[in-house]
Amino acid sequence: MVAHSKDLPQQITSVLDAVHTKRSARARPLPAVALVSFIAIVVGRYLSNKQAKAKKAAAAASKVSAEGSSSSNVKEGKIVAPKKTSKPIKHTTPETFARNRKYFPPSKVATAGSSATSAKSSVKVGVNKEFFRQIEAIFKILIPRLHCKETMILILHTTFLVLRTYLSVVVARLDGAIVKNLIAGNGKGFIRGLGYWFAIALPATYTNSMIRYLQSKLSIAFRTRLTRYVHDLYLNDQVTYYRALNLDDRIEGVDQYITTDVAKFCDSLAGLYSNLGKPILDTIIFNYQLMRSIGVSGMGGLFVSYVVTAFLLRMVTPAFGKLAAVEAKLEGDFRSAHTRLITNAEEVAFYNGADLEHSILTRTYKRLIRHINSIYKIRIAYNMFEDFIIKYCWSAVGLTLCALPVFFPALGGVDSVKDIASGDKVVGARTKGFITSKRLMMSLADAGGRMMYSYKEMSELAGSTLRVYNLISVLHQLQAGEFEGAAPKVAGSSTSSQNGDNETEHYSMADIRGIMNYGYEGIKFVGVPIVTPSPGNANGGEELVRNLNVDVKPGDHMLVTGPNGVGKTGFARLVSGLWPVFRGEVSRPNPKDIFYIPQRAYLSIGSLRDQVIYPHSRADMIKAGRTDEELMTILKHVHLAYIPDREGGWDTIKEWKDVFSGGEKQRMNMARLFYHKPKFAILDECTSAVSSDVEGLMYNHAKDEGITLITISHRPALFKYHLHLLKLTGDHGHWEFSTIGTAEERQSVENEIASLQAKLDEVEDLKKRHAEIQKELEVGLNAGPQDGTKVQK
């Protein structure tokens, strides 16, 4: 029984020998079939790339010629639509968002900012079950269907990976044959081997280049697909971008997530497929080839070395995933600090705050560098241990296993036995077997090293995956109107009292019960509180206005006034849907029938024409049949008719926020109102830098156009352009609604004028009394004591 077990390797070897009895012992480095197939792939790929580049170049040239010359697009004052040169972008459908939302629940992974309590109940960042679940969810976006561009790139990439593995085996066998012929003194065989060597060099080098090229293409394809999905989820009718920036604090620095983290994730993922898929394939094929050279016993020892190496490296591998996530967060903080300085450069310059901002940037950078240096220090010991195990220990084990067929021929594999049996000289056969086995062993060691290194890359990928997953997950929730907040609670009673007492209700972002209705012929508030959203605050948002009830019909121009910080702008934010309706019911027109002009004038990137028609594009303007002459008429109404001549025409592109003055910016925003001609317009302090005469002309023109105005301002000069007054007092949320022009209001205004006039009349008497007191003080000081004594104070 013991003898039978010892003969087990020879029995397995005999089985493998029987399978390959028909195989010739002569090395075949490059079969004709493989060569023809490879040349066909190369030629086909070259022709397809050349054709694709030609099409792209032609499309780009036609696009530049169509959009670059303004004269070709304007004929006799009419705008001619440019020819379409590319297919329109296909946006993600709402059905796709609804289908994918279930795959992105809140992550269970503890992040750098997690509290101690939540961190204990969360999963650590790393290669674990949660990581693979997140990757699977993201892959539903990266590869939405089987027949897509990304699938074709993966198939082609896999083909070249398999081809490179095959060429590696061919090179190993060819290397052994060349050395055998060299030692045997076979000149013809040596020359023939060199010919094969150079014949295989060209396809081998091209294969390596194509693998790197396809890896880059795969990364770009992944990034394009993921960025388009995130953009569609981020910029939509639900103003998810505003909610992510102002109503939710789970994502800090969304721009860094979308620009940097998505790109880093796609690069790592595409590189991981190449760096992990190829070594796995190499390991399978090289192990099979080594089994034929060193036998089953040698493969048993090699397998033991695999298990021991994997166990040791797993034990000493640091938490690279968590370190990568922290590094990405610190990179985002450093980027945000610079962005903040760029945004507020003028204000910082006025305050001479360069020293303080410099210290903030330095402190943020030091935190980042301190963390990166700590990672480098951790990697020193890990890299030393990894190199010692993989390079030196594996090399020693490999040499030992390659020596088995030499010292113990009975333990050799099928190829070693056949080389000796075929009549080759023993030295040549041993040399060929050793060189081939050594080459395969070196390639196998390299594959194993890349697999171990890929595990480290996978750990770092876990950090990037977490950030990208959290980005998509939070955006999905915000688009659906799901916010994160404390559990709803009520202080005192379930609702605020109708008498306006001091009992207040807890307004949590997780407890939004208000209703928003669209399509109403007016703007109506029924029992609606104006509450400042406070994400992350356990006490809820601050109630600015309590139980607002207002109904503005078409033609009922209304002025909203009150001191600062009482909720005037909050009224506009509620109507527009930026702030949530915590309680009550808001009814408003459809989006196309209402227009908002915020307090800060916004000028977009683009031409002068784009500033007037914003947020429409030029294509929208052409589709609506609008002309530049109409735009010039609009500029005349806002007293900006000189702008096109001054700036060089409608197609001029500049940084308009630096070109226009404060008054010009506000008048340009009013020009947008006259271009769109909505039924309702909400103006939030948008004419504060405009002279009163031009302001009056613009208000009268807006009313002549049939636009119902709702102005947010505290300037009394605007009273005469409105019919109703909504006054927010700021006294525990109280408000007053009245009609401008009533007898009571005129009496109130007359009383206020009389009071002011009485105070003005007292000014002369006060001036006279002030002069008398000043004269008496001077006389008293000049009189003084005459005997030189001091006056006691």
Side-chain angles (χ1 to χ4, degrees):
M1 190 73 176
V2 177
H4 181 73
S5 61
K6 288 183 178 180
D7 294 338
L8 183 61
Q10 285 79 2
Q11 293 178 4
I12 298 177
T13 303
S14 62
V15 172
L16 293 175
D17 190 19
V19 174
H20 298 276
T21 51
K22 301 298 182 180
R23 182 173 178 177
S24 174
R26 183 173 58 87
R28 293 179 294 174
L30 195 62
V33 176
L35 178 61
V36 173
S37 302
F38 179 78
I39 293 177
I41 293 175
V42 171
V43 174
R45 183 65 180 172
Y46 173 78
L47 294 178
S48 62
N49 284 343
K50 186 175 181 180
Q51 185 178 8
K53 290 180 179 179
K55 289 183 178 180
K56 290 182 179 179
S62 60
K63 185 175 182 180
V64 171
S65 62
E67 297 181 355
S69 58
S70 59
S71 60
S72 61
N73 294 329
V74 180
K75 295 182 180 180
E76 298 179 358
K78 297 183 179 180
I79 302 176
V80 180
K83 296 181 179 179
K84 294 183 179 181
T85 57
S86 60
K87 295 182 179 179
I89 298 176
K90 187 177 181 180
H91 297 286
T92 310
T93 61
E95 292 76 14
T96 303
F97 288 141
R99 184 173 62 253
N100 291 344
R101 186 176 298 121
K102 61 183 179 181
Y103 302 116
F104 291 92
S107 175
K108 300 179 181 178
V109 179
T111 59
S114 301
S115 62
T117 305
S118 61
K120 290 181 180 179
S121 60
S122 301
V123 182
K124 293 183 179 180
V125 181
V127 183
N128 46 42
K129 184 178 180 180
E130 180 68 13
F131 165 69
F132 288 109
R133 187 189 68 81
Q134 294 175 0
I135 284 288
E136 181 183 1
I138 297 176
F139 254 101
K140 296 183 183 300
I141 301 174
L142 299 179
I143 306 179
R145 56 188 179 276
L146 184 60
H147 301 286
C148 63
K149 177 182 177 182
E150 292 77 11
T151 304
M152 299 305 298
I153 296 178
L154 279 173
I155 293 175
L156 193 59
H157 194 192
T158 305
T159 302
F160 277 96
L161 289 177
V162 174
L163 184 59
R164 188 173 71 172
T165 302
Y166 170 75
L167 292 176
S168 299
V169 175
V170 171
V171 168
R173 292 187 174 277
L174 180 60
D175 193 12
I178 291 176
V179 175
K180 184 196 73 171
N181 292 326
L182 178 63
I183 293 177
N186 185 359
K188 293 182 179 180
F190 180 75
I191 297 299
R192 184 171 58 252
L194 287 181
Y196 286 142
W197 186 270
F198 284 107
I200 206 173
L202 181 61
T205 53
Y206 180 80
T207 301
N208 294 330
S209 299
M210 283 301 297
I211 288 175
R212 289 190 291 268
Y213 169 75
L214 291 173
Q215 177 179 329
S216 301
K217 289 289 290 183
L218 185 63
S219 174
I220 293 175
F222 282 165
R223 183 180 181 183
T224 301
R225 180 81 66 176
L226 194 58
T227 302
R228 182 177 300 173
Y229 186 90
V230 171
H231 280 176
D232 294 339
L233 194 61
Y234 185 61
L235 297 164
N236 48 42
D237 296 337
Q238 286 76 25
V239 291
T240 308
Y241 58 94
Y242 182 87
R243 295 176 178 178
L245 295 173
N246 299 279
L247 306 183
D248 195 276
D249 59 353
R250 286 174 288 179
I251 303 177
E252 296 181 1
V254 184
D255 56 338
Q256 199 257 346
Y257 275 81
I258 298 176
T259 57
T260 304
D261 290 313
V262 169
K264 184 177 180 181
F265 167 78
C266 294
D267 289 340
S268 301
L269 186 61
L272 183 65
Y273 176 74
S274 178
N275 297 333
L276 186 60
K278 175 62 167 59
I280 292 176
L281 183 63
D282 289 350
T283 302
I284 296 173
I285 295 179
F286 292 157
N287 280 330
Y288 171 74
Q289 294 295 328
L290 280 173
M291 183 182 295
R292 297 178 56 80
S293 298
I294 64 178
V296 179
S297 301
M299 285 305 302
L302 195 62
F303 178 76
V304 172
S305 67
Y306 290 160
V307 175
V308 173
T309 301
F311 175 76
L312 293 176
L313 289 179
R314 183 174 178 83
M315 292 293 294
V316 302
T317 300
F320 286 113
K322 183 178 180 181
L323 295 175
V326 175
E327 181 182 356
K329 181 181 182 301
L330 294 177
E331 288 279 6
D333 294 341
F334 184 55
R335 178 192 180 105
S336 299
H338 272 284
T339 304
R340 181 173 175 272
L341 178 61
I342 293 173
T343 305
N344 305 281
E346 184 174 343
E347 290 78 6
V348 173
F350 276 131
Y351 284 113
N352 292 324
D355 293 337
L356 179 59
E357 297 298 328
H358 186 274
S359 65
I360 294 175
L361 292 176
T362 302
R363 184 166 61 252
T364 308
Y365 179 73
K366 283 184 177 179
R367 285 200 298 266
L368 172 62
I369 294 304
R370 191 181 302 115
H371 178 73
I372 294 177
N373 285 331
S374 66
I375 295 177
Y376 290 160
K377 291 178 182 179
I378 293 173
R379 284 181 175 176
I380 291 176
Y382 176 78
N383 290 337
M384 287 178 59
F385 185 80
E386 184 183 44
D387 290 345
F388 177 77
I389 292 293
I390 294 178
K391 290 186 178 180
Y392 296 97
C393 292
W394 274 31
S395 297
V397 172
L399 290 174
T400 303
L401 296 177
C402 290
L404 287 179
V406 177
F407 297 106
F408 305 98
L411 299 178
V414 176
D415 291 343
S416 299
V417 176
K418 289 177 64 176
D419 287 338
I420 297 175
S422 61
D424 291 341
K425 294 181 180 180
V426 177
V427 176
R430 288 177 177 176
T431 303
K432 177 184 176 183
F434 179 79
I435 295 299
T436 302
S437 299
K438 182 182 178 182
R439 168 76 72 167
L440 292 174
M441 190 68 69
M442 291 176 60
S443 300
L444 187 60
D446 179 66
R450 281 184 285 130
M451 278 196 298
M452 298 303 172
Y453 188 78
S454 297
Y455 181 81
K456 181 172 63 177
E457 288 182 341
M458 191 180 298
S459 300
E460 296 178 353
L461 176 64
S464 301
T465 303
L466 173 62
R467 290 178 64 85
V468 174
Y469 178 89
N470 283 341
L471 170 66
I472 301 175
S473 176
V474 172
L475 292 181
H476 267 298
Q477 296 175 53
L478 294 179
Q479 188 201 34
E482 300 173 359
F483 299 91
E484 186 181 58
K489 63 180 180 179
V490 178
S493 62
S494 60
T495 58
S496 301
S497 63
Q498 297 180 357
N499 297 328
D501 54 19
N502 293 330
E503 294 180 351
T504 57
E505 186 173 355
H506 179 84
Y507 297 101
S508 171
M509 295 298 296
D511 183 29
I512 300 174
R513 289 178 269 166
I515 301 174
M516 175 71 77
N517 299 320
Y518 292 90
Y520 182 72
E521 292 295 330
I523 298 176
K524 185 178 181 180
F525 281 57
V526 179
V528 179
I530 299 180
V531 180
T532 303
S534 184
N537 188 354
N539 296 325
E542 179 185 0
E543 185 183 58
L544 302 177
V545 179
R546 178 175 298 180
N547 294 334
L548 181 60
N549 294 278
V550 173
D551 190 1
V552 181
K553 296 296 180 62
D556 293 343
H557 309 286
M558 184 177 72
L559 178 66
V560 182
T561 185
N564 294 330
V566 297
K568 298 191 302 296
T569 304
F571 178 87
R573 291 168 180 165
L574 270 178
V575 175
S576 62
L578 299 184
W579 281 7
V581 183
F582 285 94
R583 305 291 186 270
E585 184 175 355
V586 176
S587 301
R588 47 152 290 178
N590 292 320
K592 65 178 182 179
D593 296 330
I594 190 169
F595 197 79
Y596 310 87
I597 301 182
Q599 187 172 358
R600 289 180 56 186
Y602 174 71
L603 299 171
S604 64
I605 299 175
S607 64
L608 178 61
R609 182 187 295 104
D610 294 333
Q611 309 313 308
V612 180
I613 66 177
Y614 186 86
H616 280 185
S617 63
R618 190 177 181 185
D620 296 330
M621 176 182 171
I622 295 171
K623 184 178 180 180
R626 314 293 286 271
T627 63
D628 289 345
E629 285 76 8
E630 187 177 354
L631 300 185
M632 180 60 71
T633 303
I634 293 174
L635 291 187
K636 290 179 181 178
H637 287 299
V638 297
H639 293 259
L640 291 178
Y642 58 89
I643 291 293
D645 292 335
R646 188 188 74 179
E647 302 300 334
W650 290 107
D651 295 309
T652 304
I653 298 178
K654 294 183 179 180
E655 191 64 49
W656 298 108
K657 66 181 181 64
D658 299 327
V659 173
F660 292 152
S661 64
E664 290 175 338
K665 292 177 184 178
Q666 291 188 344
R667 283 181 281 167
M668 185 61 71
N669 279 262
M670 290 296 292
R672 295 173 181 173
L673 173 64
F674 300 148
Y675 170 81
H676 291 281
K677 295 181 181 180
K679 295 180 180 180
F680 286 83
I682 297 181
L683 315 179
D684 186 4
E685 293 282 0
C686 63
T687 57
S688 57
V690 180
S691 60
S692 58
D693 55 340
V694 176
E695 181 183 54
L697 293 174
M698 291 191 299
Y699 266 85
N700 288 327
H701 180 68
K703 296 171 70 174
D704 294 339
E705 292 289 335
I707 303 174
T708 301
L709 302 176
I710 299 178
T711 304
I712 299 172
S713 178
H714 55 267
R715 299 170 61 189
L718 297 177
F719 276 52
K720 58 185 176 181
Y721 305 110
H722 301 83
L723 298 178
H724 301 287
L725 174 65
L726 175 61
K727 185 177 181 180
L728 308 180
T729 63
D731 181 18
H732 298 92
H734 288 268
W735 51 273
E736 299 174 0
F737 183 79
S738 59
T739 301
I740 300 177
T742 61
E744 291 80 4
E745 185 192 16
R746 286 195 298 269
Q747 184 66 32
S748 176
V749 173
E750 291 174 359
N751 292 337
E752 186 175 0
I753 293 175
S755 176
L756 293 175
Q757 187 62 42
K759 292 180 180 180
L760 290 176
D761 294 340
E762 294 177 359
V763 172
E764 296 298 329
D765 296 338
L766 293 175
K767 286 183 178 179
K768 292 179 181 180
R769 180 55 183 163
H770 178 269
E772 293 175 357
I773 295 174
Q774 190 70 21
K775 187 175 181 181
E776 293 176 0
L777 290 175
E778 291 177 356
V779 171
L781 290 175
N782 292 333
Q786 301 296 328
D787 56 356
T789 60
K790 294 183 179 180
V791 179
Q792 184 178 1
K793 296 183 180 180

